[in-house]
Amino acid sequence: MIRVGVVGARGHVGSELLPILFRHPEVEVAWVTSKSAAGTPVQATCAAAPAGLDFAPASVELLARRDVDVAFLALPNGEAPAWAEVAGDVTLVDLSSDHRFDDRWVYAQPDRFRDAIVGSKRLSCPGCYATAAQLAIAPVASRARGTVCAFGVSGYSGAGTTPSERNDPEVLRDNLLPYSLVGHAHERELRRHLGLDVCFAPHVASFFRGLSCTVMIDLAEKTAAESLVAAYRDAYRGSRFVEVTDAPPRPRDLVGKHGVRVGLPAVGDDGARVVVVAALDNLLAGAASQAVRAMNLARGLDEGVGVLS
Ligand SMILES: NC(=O)c1ccc[n+]([C@@H]2O[C@H](COP(=O)([O-])OP(=O)(O)OC[C@H]3O[C@@H](n4cnc5c(N)ncnc54)[C@H](OP(=O)(O)O)[C@@H]3O)[C@@H](O)[C@H]2O)c1
């Protein structure tokens, strides 16, 4: 059994990680932390938790004991490095953006970087928008010309639990909030991990979970629509986690699902531009499920164990 700890287990992402890990046939959850609920039973918020397990205080001393094989860090951005410093040989799966630009960490997007993840002990999981956008762009990345534009709309769980305008249901009611229209962290992440110039404009909507990302890609050469369609079908043929759909996917259909849907490209009349939509559940395929897939691969297990089974 793989002994696992979860830091930030009461946040939106942590709350999705816990049921997957408690039900995972190869995992024993040793401890889970919460700053605000330390000492209270985990079962009160997660029905899959065993009786008698309480949230532990979120102190790095816990990880410094190194009594687990794997620790998931589901913390706000900026908090993970302090935990990484004391982790030693423990495999870390960091869901924040803190290590996405660090060459010592593997960028743990399993559909694109599966081989690099296998055996790695430092796994930096992609952002939720960045997951959708890169899976929408990757099949034609080598044919792109100039700047790829991405337009994202997320449910407000993407903004975490710390109260802000972006997770305030009253502000969001019948509304759409654009934010970080230039320089969003996922824009830099996409540039780095696709090797392309990407501009990304995120928005928050009034639904709780789910995300849609529309990418617009100019092509270096005019290309027949059949060839572009084939590129998408070939890229994800046989994938258990990426489904290519004829019509653009819709985020509500992906809620509660571990996989991503990428619609076949809409191709402009002149064959020089494609528009592609990808949708996913930001808390699962864009976070918790993707992180567990990465752990599975890193530990030599089948990628789908505990996620699909
Ligand atoms: N939400 C998404 O859609 C999504 C998707 C992909 C990646 N991510 C990334 O995943 C991470 C977690 O996101 P989230 O949405 O779950 O955030 P969240 O809902 O705000 O949860 C954060 C968790 O960390 C705990 N925490 C806060 N400050 C802490 C500190 N200084 N030390 C220890 N624990 C602390 C919180 O405290 P308590 O335990 O007291 O509640 C909570 O359990 C973020 O880095 C985010 O960028 C989020």
Side-chain angles (χ1 to χ4, degrees):
M1 295 294 267
I2 305 168
R3 277 174 63 80
V4 167
V6 181
V7 186
R10 261 187 107 246
H12 285 323
V13 170
S15 300
E16 296 295 330
L17 269 172
L18 290 190
I20 299 175
L21 292 171
F22 283 125
R23 295 184 180 121
H24 194 299
E26 305 287 337
V27 163
E28 176 197 350
V29 179
W31 46 257
V32 305
T33 80
S34 169
K35 252 180 18 161
S36 57
T40 68
V42 181
Q43 224 178 40
T45 50
C46 174
L53 181 69
D54 292 344
F55 285 106
S59 157
V60 294
E61 306 303 324
L62 193 58
L63 184 55
R65 286 191 222 148
R66 301 176 187 171
D67 65 348
V68 290
D69 303 303
V70 177
F72 288 83
L73 306 178
L75 291 163
N77 295 329
E79 300 293 337
W83 293 78
E85 241 171 62
V86 302
D89 209 29
V90 174
T91 296
L92 295 181
V93 185
D94 180 11
L95 286 113
S96 78
S97 63
D98 290 343
H99 297 104
R100 293 179 196 151
F101 301 90
D102 185 333
D103 285 334
R104 295 166 300 176
W105 289 61
V106 167
Y107 184 63
Q109 206 299 307
D111 305 289
R112 299 188 60 220
F113 304 111
R114 184 170 284 111
D115 292 348
I117 295 170
V118 174
S120 170
K121 294 201 159 187
R122 292 290 180 269
L123 303 162
S124 175
C125 299
C128 48
Y129 285 122
T131 300
Q134 69 190 274
L135 293 174
I137 297 167
V140 291
S142 62
R143 308 184 196 203
R145 174 178 64 84
T147 304
V148 173
C149 294
F151 175 91
V153 180
S154 169
Y156 63 88
S157 59
T161 49
T162 305
S164 76
E165 218 192 12
R166 287 192 283 119
N167 55 21
D168 181 338
E170 190 46 39
V171 175
L172 289 164
R173 186 169 48 82
D174 301 330
N175 227 344
L176 187 69
L177 261 61
Y179 69 102
S180 301
L181 293 175
V182 290
H184 189 282
H186 292 192
E187 180 176 274
R188 288 189 295 120
E189 183 182 333
L190 287 165
R191 287 178 183 174
R192 180 179 169 95
H193 295 288
L194 283 164
L196 289 174
D197 191 26
V198 180
C199 65
F200 170 58
H203 300 70
V204 189
S206 56
F207 53 89
F208 178 67
R209 65 197 287 172
L211 173 159
S212 174
C213 194
T214 301
V215 300
M216 288 144 276
I217 309 164
D218 285 331
L219 303 175
E221 287 177 16
K222 292 184 179 179
T223 310
E226 304 76 56
S227 164
L228 295 163
V229 164
Y232 279 81
R233 291 214 186 278
D234 291 349
Y236 300 120
R237 193 179 309 285
S239 170
R240 287 181 285 167
F241 291 93
V242 186
E243 182 187 355
V244 176
T245 56
D246 291 338
R250 297 176 181 179
R252 192 174 67 187
D253 298 335
L254 277 299
V255 168
K257 303 236 165 36
H258 302 290
V260 181
R261 284 188 189 154
V262 178
L264 284 175
V267 183
D269 284 345
D270 61 358
R273 162 175 289 198
V274 294
V275 180
V276 182
V277 179
L280 51 75
D281 183 328
N282 55 303
L283 300 178
L284 286 174
S289 326
Q290 182 160 246
V292 176
R293 290 170 62 196
M295 178 202 72
N296 286 341
L297 286 168
R299 301 291 303 188
L301 299 175
D302 177 86
E303 183 182 354
V305 180
V307 180
L308 295 179
S309 52

